[in-house]
Amino acid sequence: MGKKRIVIALGHDALGTTVLEQWNATKRTAVAVAEFIKQDYQVVITHSNGPQVGMIHTALSEFYQNHPDYTPTPMSVCSAMSQGYIGYDLQQAIRSELVGRGIYKPVSTILTQVTVDPYDEAFYKPTKIIGRVMTAEQAEVEEAKGNHTVKVDGGYRRIVAAPKPMEIVEIDAIKALCDADQVVIAAGGGGIPVLTQDNSLKGASAVVEKDIAAGLLASELDADMLVILTSVTKVCKNFGKSDEQPLDYISVADAKKMLEAGEFGETDMAPKIQAAIDYIGDSAIRKVLITKLSDAGNAVGGQTGTMIGK
């Protein structure tokens, strides 16, 4: 019987925000990943990139402000840069941790694109705030270029769409590395959103919700389990209220009801629950585990975390 394949989705806590925070965070993350590999799981990793892509976008926007003879950097390029930057730190940390345990296994990052529908309703209702704080005059310049901005404390920031990912362009390459029993880092930050135009792919001015992309990645790899690592040990009913109730297990049917009832935060837990529902589908075998990075080892053994299944 072959190894069980899992997709691990890393949240903000697993990566940090600044260069130094990320370097230290990936070392802690590597320990958790190594525990899965030690238990003979075949591991594919995906991750968030919010602070990192924001940093890159801000830096390149500031550069363009001071050097207008350079071409402005598209959002898709910023996403690609964030995948390389995060993948580099993860590769080094995981490789070092594995070698320290006497495990010799290649770790590879795949620069990953995901196709999106140009008519996705998200393009008409952008929701994701990115980049630096701008003055009203700078915001007007962005709007004149066809971009969208929103008023925030201290000024304005750019806002982009978050369309649903349809297909993972590099899925065959990811599968090939998985079949070779390598550790694969893919679809970072939800993947680089692209639009199909005849035989070409064109970067979209958007970002993809990383949890939804993680579910799609797990589905296309036919993974046995999707592990979503976040900032809480368990999913809770009535989160943050006096009657908060940690949940050990949620059926897909109950997850749908709770999601429709608005039980989960729209920008934090709701996308994770939706990803779980989409990934599991009608399968009686697939499972989703949601827990905290530091609790991952115990959670896989069933001692903590929240499991979602049929």
Side-chain angles (χ1 to χ4, degrees), residues 21-296:
E21 280 182 9
Q22 179 172 302
W23 188 77
N24 288 320
T26 53
K27 288 182 177 298
R28 295 190 297 272
T29 299
V31 174
V33 172
E35 284 299 314
F36 287 104
I37 294 170
K38 182 182 176 182
Q39 295 181 50
D40 213 27
Y41 284 101
Q42 192 179 75
V43 175
V44 180
I45 300 163
T46 187
H47 56 79
S48 63
N49 73 337
Q52 291 82 0
V53 77
M55 176 182 67
I56 292 166
H57 183 269
T58 298
L60 292 174
S61 294
E62 290 296 333
F63 179 83
Y64 176 66
Q65 290 294 317
N66 292 296
H67 301 276
D69 49 321
Y70 281 80
T71 303
T73 307
M75 190 64 210
S76 56
V77 174
C78 294
S79 294
M81 288 181 174
S82 74
Q83 284 190 11
Y85 161 45
I86 295 169
Y88 167 65
D89 275 353
L90 281 172
Q91 280 183 203
Q92 285 206 334
I94 294 169
R95 180 186 179 278
S96 294
E97 181 65 28
L98 292 177
V99 171
R101 296 175 181 229
I103 302 171
Y104 300 92
K105 189 183 292 288
V107 185
S108 305
T109 298
I110 297 290
L111 197 64
T112 313
Q113 304 171 91
V114 296
T115 59
V116 297
D117 184 350
Y119 302 106
D120 191 305
E121 290 185 5
F123 283 110
Y124 305 100
K125 299 176 183 178
T127 59
K128 293 289 185 178
I129 296 174
I130 62 164
R132 66 195 176 101
V133 176
M134 299 178 286
T135 64
E137 292 75 18
Q138 290 170 328
E140 285 181 11
V141 172
E142 286 296 320
E143 293 280 351
K145 291 191 293 186
N147 297 325
H148 300 280
T149 61
V150 63
K151 189 168 178 57
V152 298
D153 289 342
Y156 295 80
R157 291 181 69 188
R158 189 173 166 194
I159 188 169
V160 298
K164 185 175 181 179
M166 298 169 62
E167 295 180 341
I168 296 171
V169 178
E170 287 77 21
I171 192 63
D172 288 339
I174 298 168
K175 285 180 179 178
L177 291 174
C178 287
D179 291 343
D181 200 25
Q182 295 194 23
V183 180
V184 187
I185 302 163
I192 306 162
V194 294
L195 303 170
T196 303
Q197 296 184 343
D198 297 323
N199 294 327
S200 301
L201 297 172
K202 180 180 179 182
S205 183
V207 295
V208 173
E209 172 58 58
K210 63 97 177 170
D211 292 312
I212 302 299
L216 177 62
L217 177 63
S219 293
E220 294 202 8
L221 289 174
D222 195 23
D224 297 281
M225 182 186 295
L226 170 62
V227 179
I228 300 177
L229 301 181
T230 183
S231 59
V232 295
T233 298
K234 294 184 180 183
V235 178
C236 295
K237 188 175 182 179
N238 302 321
F239 181 72
K241 300 178 182 177
S242 59
D243 58 345
E244 178 178 297
Q245 178 187 352
L247 302 171
D248 296 326
Y249 182 85
I250 310 173
S251 69
V252 171
D254 285 343
K256 289 179 180 178
K257 291 176 184 176
M258 295 170 72
L259 188 63
E260 291 170 0
E263 181 68 50
F264 306 112
E266 192 171 327
T267 59
D268 43 53
M269 191 56 71
K272 296 171 177 56
I273 299 299
Q274 185 63 64
I277 293 169
D278 292 345
Y279 160 65
I280 294 171
D282 296 326
S283 173
I285 300 173
R286 292 179 176 180
K287 305 287 184 184
V288 174
L289 172 64
I290 300 177
T291 194
K292 199 172 184 177
L293 173 68
S294 57
D295 296 322

